[in-house]
Amino acid sequence: MTTQSSSTRLMLITPPVADAEAMAFRLMQAMAGGDVAAVLLRLSAGDDRSRIERVKRLAGPVQANNVALVVEDNALVAARGGADGVHLTGGPAAVSEARSSLKSERIIGIGALRARHDAMDAGEAGVDYVMFGEPRPDGSLPPLAAVVERAGWWAEIFETPCVAYAPDADSIPALIETGAEFVALGAWAFDEGQDIRALVEQANQAISACAARKTAR
């Protein structure tokens, strides 16, 4: 999960996955649309064994496309399933626990950061990325303007990469302009009837257009 020529790259955040086969098909469609840096896999309820099997089923095809797979909030399932890392939502205090159970080469990212000092604490704890703007536990979203401000502030000052969450396709260009290393397309991108391949293609076109404008300045 690295940047290429300092351009923004895409992260895909799945809805809670119960059927790994169906999600594998959707992810193949998405990755056919162009560059994707990472997939954040959210898993529906189940015992650890069944969840590990779902991770294993998805890790192979995702990683075969040079895309990192991170699992939400379960370092054990992530490690045993062969994922590349874990995405935490339990605050900076969860970082040290995850680090102790994961090998150093695995990714640890963090979201659900409600204040600037939370993000700074997470950065100091050694996370590999911070995420801004994703849905709150009640499903509500922070205002887009606040996410743009927060991502721009972080990208300008800190070396730790940041992920800016796009609540819809229309918000993608504004989030790219912040300089965030990654823009995340949420579960909405996997909605039935959504052409996820075209969405990824259009997002990458927006990234290229932004890079061209910055080069021309």
Side-chain angles (χ1 to χ4, degrees):
M1 186 174 168
T2 57
T3 56
Q4 293 179 338
S5 304
S6 74
S7 291
T8 301
R9 299 183 69 194
L10 299 179
M11 172 186 277
L12 304 177
I13 304 176
T14 73
V17 173
D19 183 346
E21 294 294 331
M23 180 50 64
F25 177 74
R26 290 291 273 157
L27 289 172
M28 292 305 104
Q29 289 179 315
M31 291 185 287
D35 180 58
V36 173
V39 172
L40 197 173
L41 175 61
R42 300 169 62 217
L43 295 166
S44 62
D47 59 50
D48 282 351
R49 182 175 180 180
S50 70
R51 299 178 92 191
I52 289 166
E53 288 304 314
R54 276 175 269 167
V55 175
K56 286 181 176 179
R57 171 65 185 88
L58 292 167
V62 169
Q63 293 164 344
N65 282 276
N66 294 316
V67 177
L69 181 69
V70 294
V71 175
E72 185 178 69
D73 275 339
N74 197 316
L76 173 70
V77 169
R80 293 190 178 177
D84 297 286
V86 65
H87 175 87
L88 304 173
T89 62
V95 176
S96 59
E97 182 180 347
R99 184 68 71 194
S100 67
S101 61
L102 291 175
K103 293 181 179 178
S104 59
E105 65 267 20
R106 282 199 164 98
I107 297 163
I108 296 179
I110 193 165
L113 299 166
R114 302 306 173 210
R116 289 190 178 201
H117 69 80
D118 290 337
M120 290 187 285
D121 287 347
E124 290 175 1
V127 295
D128 296 290
Y129 68 82
V130 296
M131 180 181 289
F132 301 120
E134 74 275 27
R136 303 181 181 104
D138 65 2
S140 65
L141 287 162
L144 179 62
V147 180
V148 167
E149 186 276 332
R150 185 67 54 86
W153 161 74
W154 184 272
E156 183 176 355
I157 297 174
F158 299 97
E159 291 186 5
T160 300
C162 79
V163 182
Y165 178 90
D168 52 40
D170 291 342
S171 65
I172 293 171
L175 293 170
I176 293 168
E177 288 284 351
T178 66
E181 286 82 358
F182 304 96
V183 168
L185 311 183
W188 59 268
F190 294 86
D191 287 348
E192 189 174 350
Q194 172 72 62
D195 186 343
I196 195 168
R197 175 175 177 168
L199 179 63
V200 169
E201 185 175 358
Q202 290 160 11
N204 274 300
Q205 288 170 353
I207 289 169
S208 296
C210 179
R213 287 193 297 273
K214 288 182 178 179
T215 300
R217 286 171 188 167

